[in-house]
Amino acid sequence: MVTLLYPLYVGLLSVLLPGQYARDRRFTKEEMAHYRDRVKSMFYHAYNNYLDNAFPYDELRPLTCDGQDTWGSFSLTLIDALDTLLIIGNHTEFQRVVNVLQDTVDFDIDVNASVFETNIRVVGGLLSAHLLSKKAGLELEAGWPCTGPLLRMAEEAARKLLPAFDTATGMPYGTVNLLKGVNPSETPVTCTAGIGTFIVEFATLSRLTGDPEFEMAARRALKGLWESRSEIGLVGNHIDVMTSKWVAQDSGIGAGVDSYFEYLVKGAILLQDEELMSMFLEYNKAIQNFTRYDDWHVWVQMYKGTITMPVFQSLEAFWPGLQSLVGDIGSAMRTFHNYYTVWKQFGGLPEFYSIPQGFTVDKREGYPLRPELIESAMYLYKATRDPILLEIGRDAVESIERISKVDCGFATIKDVRDHKLDNRMESFFLAETIKYLYLLFDPDNFIHNEGSTFDLVVTPYGECVLGAGGYIFNTEAHPIDPAALHCCNRNTAEQWEVEDLVREFFSIKSGSKPKAQSTKSKKQEASDYQNRIKDKRTSNLSCPSQSFSSKLSVLGQVFLD
């Protein structure tokens, strides 16, 4: 059905977005290279200005050409931009930055840090860079990827977050002091997304280090949310992590909830976990039943399903990309079209957009150069190769350069109506927006590898394959190689299975007949090991720290990316 209907809604897109979206429009190799170069120039304009004017602060202030700490004083932009350097081909700078980070970043500091932001930006960024170290030409420690300086840094940062998980429900606080733990006066009200956005990073960390504590914490937090859903299958926006009582009962797919759903899908793919995917599919039924109207998604009361806010939030633009990962291309393209009409109206996505009025919502008119629409374009282009999505990427490049570019970087758009600027360049501009744009125009990038090339590495636990593709992006666009999670497994049964697969692959390539498998007991041991991992649930989780004034955010915090 999806295949049959696809030409229909693409044709509709061409009519509603006239002229440039002719169905037969194709980008030439020269045009693709041109826009890759444009995006690369955007990256260096922002990155070099951060180094010249803001380092070692977290972020660049592009209007005053200086820096500021925002999320914990980690030189955050440098960590967030690290894997983007490799993706655009700069191995030398990647190697230099790794050395700088080892010499300068200290997590043993008296700073109150967002548990969510530290996880997705710092832990995620360091894990991704660690797993890409071989491709970047770094000198590797013996035993890599099961050891290495970036892995130790990621583990140290994550360990600083664990005190936030020490709650009766396993659902964490939003903020933790990196030196002292959770402040006794810390609010127990946390966003849903903050509770459910750890499984990608924490499971990767556990599988690489052999310490199950991180993955157990992430799973327990996910379980706490799942058990707190309403009878109609929805979750609210903010919850008390001590009592499991919902404080904000608005349910949707945007701010404060978004990456919870994202991590159920990505965690399921990364870990080959049917339980996580089943949880998402159950939520998806409720989402389609209660929040979807004419391929928009609105906010509803989590217990009744009645509409509370008929608004589109820019953070919701990740949803079509997520739909593509579960194979719902038709719905993804239709929803994507709705979101893109908003972009065309303003040259960017306002934080809140009133669907009935077709205009911005008061005090939520800004566009901080968020990546979500471009992220969805990249996923959908990979799935469909529809050239319309490249046109959208082109328009994003033109809009951002025309509106946001200033002498010292790229500035947040304070108001999409008049394009006034604000003095901030968030680190996710380099981590996500630029990366997704570049990957959209670079279909041959190693990130898009579908198994045609790979590296065979030897670890203390046996041989494993890396770099074969299937990368899972965390919610800050840091790619995780799923194969790496099998490289450091202390369980011999799974090690034998991986080695058998490697040998079988090479025997097929060489034309010899693969040996028959007679390792039923080993497979059973591997299955038992996975069951033990799933059964160990003793953890916690948390959410960010930007208060809102709209109805959606009466109490608590909201994610900014």
Side-chain angles (χ1 to χ4, degrees), residues 489-501 503 515-532:
N489 199 317
R490 277 73 176 166
N491 179 267
T492 357
E494 184 164 325
Q495 171 197 328
W496 289 333
E497 285 204 330
V498 172
E499 290 182 353
D500 286 342
L501 289 172
R503 292 190 190 98
K515 294 180 180 179
Q517 297 297 310
S518 59
T519 56
K520 182 177 180 181
S521 61
K522 296 175 185 177
K523 291 182 179 180
Q524 185 59 52
E525 288 179 31
S527 176
D528 291 343
Y529 169 77
Q530 293 299 331
N531 290 334
R532 287 199 302 273

Side-chain angles (χ1 to χ4, degrees), residues 265-547:
V265 173
K266 291 182 175 180
I269 297 170
L270 180 69
L271 304 172
Q272 295 296 289
D273 190 312
E274 294 181 7
E275 181 184 11
L276 295 181
M277 185 60 76
S278 295
M279 290 163 68
F280 172 76
L281 294 175
E282 282 299 311
Y283 279 129
N284 196 40
K285 290 177 186 176
I287 289 167
Q288 302 307 317
N289 286 338
F290 295 105
T291 76
R292 182 180 174 187
Y293 290 86
D294 295 330
D295 296 306
W296 294 95
H297 289 275
V298 299
W299 289 83
V300 301
Q301 212 283 340
M302 65 174 288
Y303 292 105
K304 301 175 182 178
T306 53
I307 296 176
T308 59
M309 289 190 300
V311 299
F312 157 62
Q313 298 176 1
S314 61
L315 286 169
E316 296 172 13
F318 85 101
W319 188 255
L322 191 67
Q323 288 177 301
S324 77
L325 290 180
V326 296
D328 192 1
I329 303 298
S331 180
M333 286 294 286
R334 293 190 297 271
T335 298
F336 184 89
H337 162 65
N338 283 346
Y339 297 167
Y340 186 60
T341 59
V342 179
W343 177 289
K344 294 290 286 185
Q345 185 176 350
F346 298 105
L349 292 183
E351 295 285 60
F352 282 27
Y353 177 84
S354 170
I355 297 169
Q357 296 176 0
F359 208 66
T360 60
V361 173
D362 187 40
K363 297 182 181 179
R364 304 296 290 179
E365 305 93 349
Y367 171 57
L369 309 182
R370 291 197 189 281
E372 283 77 15
L373 188 71
I374 301 160
E375 172 187 359
S376 285
M378 185 207 73
Y379 279 115
L380 287 169
Y381 182 70
K382 188 171 182 179
T384 68
R385 286 295 190 259
D386 191 317
I388 288 172
L389 297 157
L390 297 177
E391 300 276 1
I392 289 167
R394 180 206 64 187
D395 287 356
V397 171
E398 302 291 351
S399 293
I400 292 171
E401 281 210 311
R402 184 179 72 252
I403 299 169
S404 293
K405 187 175 183 179
V406 295
D407 289 344
C408 287
F410 290 86
T412 286
I413 300 173
K414 187 175 184 178
D415 192 326
V416 295
R417 297 170 302 179
D418 56 18
H419 294 164
K420 289 180 180 177
L421 300 179
D422 202 3
N423 193 20
R424 189 174 185 186
M425 187 182 81
E426 295 233 32
S427 68
F428 60 65
F429 178 65
L430 293 178
E432 301 184 74
T433 309
I434 290 290
K435 184 182 293 159
Y436 286 133
L437 272 174
Y438 190 84
L439 289 172
L440 177 62
F441 292 111
D442 190 14
D444 297 323
N445 195 278
F446 75 88
I447 288 291
H448 296 311
N449 180 21
E450 294 180 348
S452 57
T453 62
F454 58 86
D455 292 317
L456 186 64
V457 300
V458 179
T459 77
Y461 312 100
E463 296 175 323
C464 71
V465 170
L466 288 174
Y471 291 91
I472 301 297
F473 289 96
N474 85 336
T475 198
E476 189 77 3
H478 295 305
I480 301 295
D481 186 343
L485 276 64
H486 302 280
C487 289
C488 309
N489 199 317
R490 277 73 176 166
N491 179 267
T492 357
E494 184 164 325
Q495 171 197 328
W496 289 333
E497 285 204 330
V498 172
E499 290 182 353
D500 286 342
L501 289 172
V502 171
R503 292 190 190 98
E504 182 176 341
F505 176 84
F506 280 111
S507 67
I508 291 171
K509 284 193 73 175
S510 64
S512 60
K513 187 177 179 180
K515 294 180 180 179
Q517 297 297 310
S518 59
T519 56
K520 182 177 180 181
S521 61
K522 296 175 185 177
K523 291 182 179 180
Q524 185 59 52
E525 288 179 31
S527 176
D528 291 343
Y529 169 77
Q530 293 299 331
N531 290 334
R532 287 199 302 273
I533 287 290
K534 289 181 181 178
D535 289 339
K536 291 180 180 178
R537 312 273 202 269
T538 56
S539 127
N540 314 16
L541 275 118
S542 158
C543 142
S545 56
Q546 175 101 7
S547 56

Side-chain angles (χ1 to χ4, degrees), residues 24-41:
D24 60 353
R25 176 71 171 96
R26 293 291 185 274
F27 270 53
T28 65
K29 289 183 178 180
E30 291 75 19
E31 287 175 305
M32 295 288 276
H34 169 75
Y35 279 101
R36 283 199 301 274
D37 290 343
R38 289 274 299 274
V39 175
K40 192 180 290 187
S41 295

